[in-house]
Structure formats: structure tokens, C-alpha cells
Amino acid sequence: MPYGLSNIMIDGIANISVQELRGVGPKLASTLADYGVRHVEDLLFHLPLRYQDRTRVTPIATAREGADVVIEGEVRAADVVFGRRRSLVARIQDGSGTLTLRFFHFSAAQKNNLQTGSRLRCFGQVRRGGSGLEMYHPEYRVLQDEDVAVEEALTPIYPTTAGIGQNQWRKLCKQALDRLHREQVDELLPPSGKYPYELTKALQYLHTPPPDAAQELLREGKHPAQLRLALEELVAHNLSLHRLRERQQEEGAPALPLNKEALGAFLASLPFTPTNAQRHVLQEIAIDLAKPVPMMRLVQGDVGSGKTLVAAGAALQAISSGYQVAIMAPTEILAEQHWRNFCQWFEPFNITMEWLSGRTKGNKRLTALGRIASGDASLVIGTHALFQDNVAFACLGLVVVDEQHRFGVHQRLALTKKAAPQQGRAHQLVMTATPIPRTLSMVAYADLDCSIIDELPPGRSPVTTALIDSSRREDVVARVAAACSEGRQAYWVCTLIEESDVLQAQAAEATAAELRAGLPHLAIGLIHGRLKPLEKAAIMAAFKSGELALLVATTVIEVGVDVPNASLMIIENPERLGLAQLHQLRGRVGRGLQASHCVLLYQTPLSANGKQRLSVMRESSDGFYIAEKDLELRGPGEVLGTRQTGLMEFRIASLPAHSHLLDEVQFIANAIRESYPERTDPLIHRWTGSGQQFAKV
């Protein structure tokens, strides 16, 4: 059925305060408000994380270890036992078997309740203990003579916060459902025969699933009721990112027309010829920059596809129009690589440049800040330090954010606000060498236009990948020695689970010392995040010039390092890294004409997931295929990086489980923007609440 007109109420249950519900006084209302629950509708969309089955009594003899079950039985003995920990122990029987209840925290009244001969109904997880089957701290009630019915529906377990227990959530949500019977919740999606469930029925079902509910589907998030709500949540998320884009574009931006002569001279001065893909993306960017609205474009390209050249073309267009450009990278080593490239490329054009990082101190920092604020520096390159409050630009026209997934939405938007108020926002170009699966970019980057550099420069050789057990480490060291004796160069990458620069540096230092002892005839360098910028630059220069045969490094070399003669990479403990990061590291080799190799030196035993992930690396060098597999195996938060996970904290939607909904999500979101714009704010508020605040950045 095509989308059509429908009657819609934008008020009703959405505006009924939780304080109208029984048991909600000022204190509880305040706690709920802090948690984002202010109205009855908020309770309806406060959905269970999982369910317990209390709809049937399980005979003790058939109870499985590890299962959550309801047991009924007669107390045969109860006493306080003094062992390593004092505990209250009761033995109950139901005619089929015996079960022990154990309480480490108990009161005198609780002990008195567990009288021999009394009947109990207990709910808890069955464990195997020294005396057979046991339950620790079960929920229980003493049964009187009358029959007490079991629960009629599965028991929901809700997300919670300090000060609100599960029973409170259940009582509150039950009252909200009672209201739902009398007052319909607003249907905010356009009418369609394709929705897997009606909204009201979906809410009722998910709060109180029947005993015969398909629990496996519920656990996997694939029940039709969950799909209906996941669809709406993804639509709301899409609308919120488009709203973010609209608000920025309302502010306007300086129109930066293309200077064809300057761009032509720049491209002609390069020692290589840009690929057709690079030229195409440069054209897309040039059209965006010439408009008086902020460009918001994401450029994706696999390792070595030449994104930096595209950024340089965009920077030249802004500078030729009399505006400043800021280029921000997540690490100093990548920012330094950009600095070297731009110095070399822009030297013939007399473009003034400035450097700013967290390690720029004292008078040097004051001088840099002064040149940036006065406009004496046309191009500013640095790290996170660029968006600090005391960094002011004279006329910022373009912001380039490299490895965009390392920065949150707040950070990249904060930098675009540094444009002068009268000129609106700076244009924004964000780049990533970590290919983002289409499914993920449709959700996380719906506010950005996307360009893909899908062509590698000529002269790149394929990299073969081998998986080798760390027990064969000596063979790998011999392989490194042989490669270097033939005049080639190699990387040896040390990885640690910990994020600590200190621990990573120590691990790399220990590995370098071991390799120097084992390979005394080789010149071996060491680079890690704790070295000073000048030290890192000197080591990289020595490696690039061939003075060093082997470079021991932490993952700081993940991006931005280009040494064509390096044709062998060893990555220790690759099972600790994500596929995207492994692909980035592997991209440091294969930049010359000779055959290149990457050895993944793993620790046994490998988990099933670890084997699957490393096999993907051996099978493919396609960054987009690897990214899809990374999403499938690790989830969106890990793929995007910790700074972006806030975007992915959905209440019910989940990727990649709900990826098949995304084309429909785009269709519905477009229909709402075009035909039902009054529904946008209620939808965003329903699903994101105060989470939409970042749109005001």
C-alpha cells in the first residue's frame, strides 16, 4: 500500500506526566526524569532487555543447571550454617527431587518464614552445588492453602538506574499499558501495509509476551514486534541526523569558487598523475565548496587510494578564495605526515602554514595562536588541540578531519563553529581510510554526503597474508633477516590490549631489544607514541631513506606512513585488534613494485571468533569486504571506535541484525520530511529525547 494521509494526534499520551501514576512522588519522578522518563509514553518505549519465564512450575527433577525456573516445594529443613561464610540454608522437596536454597544475606524474619512444612514458590537460577542442585538468593513467596496462579506472561527485565528496582519498573510500565488501552499512542510513521506489526500491539507484546512467545526470536531482536519498533527508531535516528544537517546549513557558509588555474598548476606540479577516481571526488568537492551552504562530505577510500591529495585540492580552493583551512588528525604521527606532504606540495605556491598540537608549548604556542588568529597562517595542521577554546581563526573556510571515526560528532562540529559569526559555518570535509560498510554509513553518517575513491594508484602490489603460530617465532625472525639481507625493509608491530602509551612503549622496547640481540647485523629502529615529535620524525626519515632495515613500532604507524621499499610486516597478537585496524596496518606495505607479505603472528589457543576474523584477513584485501565482516563479527560500536558509540546506543535497533530495514528506513524518512514534517520532532523526541542535544552544537 502506498504511503498516504492519516489522522494523527501529536499530543495525548505523549504529554501525560508520570506523576499522574500511582506510587510516583516527587523523589521518584525526579529519578525518572534524570533517566529520561518524564511522560507515560516514555515508559511505553522503555523496552525490556530480556525476559524470564515464570509462567510454569518446573519439577525439581527436570530442572537444568544454569536455567532460570519456577520451583514449588515443601521446606524439609532450614538452618543457619557456619562455614567460610555464614548462610541460611533451606532444603525443599516437591516429590520429584530435592533442592537447596542458600542465602548469604538474610534477616531473622526471613529465617522465621522458612518453617519446616511450609510451602514455597521460588524463582532463580539452578546451580550445581556440593549437595546437589541449589539456588542462591532466589525470589520466593510462602504459599498459603489457596492456589496461587503463575504469571500469565513472560516477566520483563528492564534497563534500570540506581534507585529504581525491577518491581517498580514493572508496576510503572503496567500502569502505562493500562493507559494505552484507553488512549492510543500516537502513530507517527506514514501508513503502510508493509509494517510487520501495529505500533500499539508491538508495545503491548514486548512488555508482556505470552508464554508461547518465540523466545529465540526475542533474544535475537528478530520478532516482528521488535522489527516494527526498530524500524521506527532507525527512522527517528535518520531524521535527527538530517535535522542536524539542516540546522547547520541554515547558518550558511562562505562560497568558495573553484580557481581552475591554481588547481591545474597544483596537479601539474605533482610527481604523479591523479587517478580518475581522485579527479571525480575533487569535482564533487569543488561543486560543494562553491555553494553558500556548509559542505558536509565524507570521503572514503581504501588504504593508499590518495585521500590526502583530494584534501589538498579542497584546501587550495579555499585558500585561493582568501580563507583559512584547518586539517585535524587524531594522532601526531598522522598530523606530521600531513605536514610533510603539504609542505612539499604547497612550497611552490607560497602558502603560509602553521602547526599546532597538544605538545606545542610556551612561546611557540603563543606565536602559533597569534598567526592563526591574525590570518597570517592560511593552512593550519594539527591534532585535537585545534578545537580548544583558545584557538581562534581569522576567517576559517574549510575544516578537514582525517580518520573521522576517531572523533565524535561534537568534536568535528566544534571546529566548524570557529568560523567568523558573520560568515556562518566552515565547510566540512571528513575522511577515513577505514572503509565503512554501507549499512553502517546509512545510520552513523546520514548527515553527510559520501564520496568513495574506488581506485588505487598504479604501482601498488598485492599483499599476501599468512597466519603463523607464535611458537614459530624464530622462523619468522629468520624470514625477516632474509628479506632485509636482500635490501628490503620490514615492520614489526607490537600490540597490547591496554590503551596505555607507557605499556605499549615498554612492550615495543622489549621486542626491539630482543630483535637487536637476535639480529645484530641489522639496523633496527623503534617508534612509539611516547617519543617526542622530532624523535619520531627522525626515525621515520631514517627508515624511509633506508638507513634502518627493520622498524619496531606500536600501532602508531597504523595510518600515514609511506615507505615504498617496505615489503614485509609482522603483526604480533593480531587477535587483539579489529579487522579494520589490521587492514590499516597491512596497508603500510605493498606500496612499491616488489611482492609484499604480512605475517599475523597469533597466540594459541585462538577463539572461534578469532580464527574467523584472521581468516578474513588472509582471504581478502578488499577494505569494504573486511569492514562488512568486522561489523558482522564485532558490532557497530567497535567498528566506529569508542568516540562514536554514543550514536549507536539504540534502545531496540541493532546492527547488523536490522541492516535489512535500512532501505525502508530511508524511504520512510524521506516521506516524512516531504509529506509529514510535523511528525519529525515528536519522532526524534520519542526515541532520542535529550540525546538530540548534539544537534545544537
Side-chain angles (χ1 to χ4, degrees), residues 151-165:
E151 299 287 341
E152 294 181 358
L154 299 183
T155 302
I157 303 296
Y158 291 99
T160 191
T161 186
I164 309 180

Side-chain angles (χ1 to χ4, degrees), residues 251-255 292 323 394-398 416 418-426:
E251 296 179 37
Y323 284 85
C395 51
L396 182 62
L398 172 66
T416 65
K418 289 186 178 289
Q422 67 274 14
Q423 72 180 51
R425 276 189 184 266

Side-chain angles (χ1 to χ4, degrees), residues 355-525:
W355 167 266
L356 189 67
S357 78
R359 298 194 191 189
T360 312
K361 304 290 186 187
N363 288 334
K364 198 171 181 182
R365 181 178 181 80
L366 290 174
T367 302
L369 291 176
R371 294 187 69 226
I372 296 168
S374 67
D376 287 345
S378 296
L379 178 63
V380 185
I381 297 175
T383 58
H384 304 71
L386 289 177
F387 57 75
Q388 290 174 354
D389 289 342
N390 63 350
V391 181
F393 289 80
C395 51
L396 182 62
L398 172 66
V399 170
V400 180
V401 181
D402 201 5
E403 287 307 301
Q404 121 83 14
H405 64 291
R406 305 286 189 89
F407 301 100
V409 173
H410 289 87
Q411 292 174 315
R412 60 179 170 87
L413 294 186
L415 194 48
T416 65
K417 281 195 78 174
K418 289 186 178 289
Q422 67 274 14
Q423 72 180 51
R425 276 189 184 266
H427 295 277
Q428 182 182 165
L429 177 66
V430 294
M431 306 192 300
T432 179
T434 303
I436 300 163
R438 174 179 175 270
T439 51
L440 196 50
S441 63
M442 285 171 74
V443 175
Y445 303 123
D447 61 322
L448 301 174
D449 296 312
C450 187
S451 296
I452 295 178
I453 305 176
D454 53 4
E455 181 183 1
L456 289 178
R460 297 295 303 260
S461 60
V463 180
T464 58
T465 302
L467 310 184
I468 297 181
D469 191 310
S470 59
S471 61
R472 294 174 55 200
R473 186 185 180 92
E474 289 183 12
D475 296 342
V476 174
V477 173
R479 184 171 174 175
V480 170
C484 293
S485 68
E486 294 170 4
R488 290 180 285 155
Q489 290 170 278
Y491 296 98
W492 190 294
V493 182
C494 305
T495 65
L496 274 181
I497 296 173
E498 294 86 352
E499 289 291 327
S500 162
D501 280 349
V502 177
L503 292 173
Q504 289 193 350
Q506 288 172 350
E509 284 165 357
T511 300
E514 175 196 334
L515 289 170
R516 282 169 179 152
L519 303 169
H521 59 291
L522 289 185
I524 298 176

Side-chain angles (χ1 to χ4, degrees), residues 535-558:
E535 293 175 304
K536 282 188 285 190
I539 293 165
M540 285 311 306
F543 187 57
K544 193 161 187 173
S545 68
E547 292 173 43
L548 298 173
L550 175 61
L551 183 64
V552 178
T554 60
T555 53
V556 296
I557 62 149
E558 178 186 342

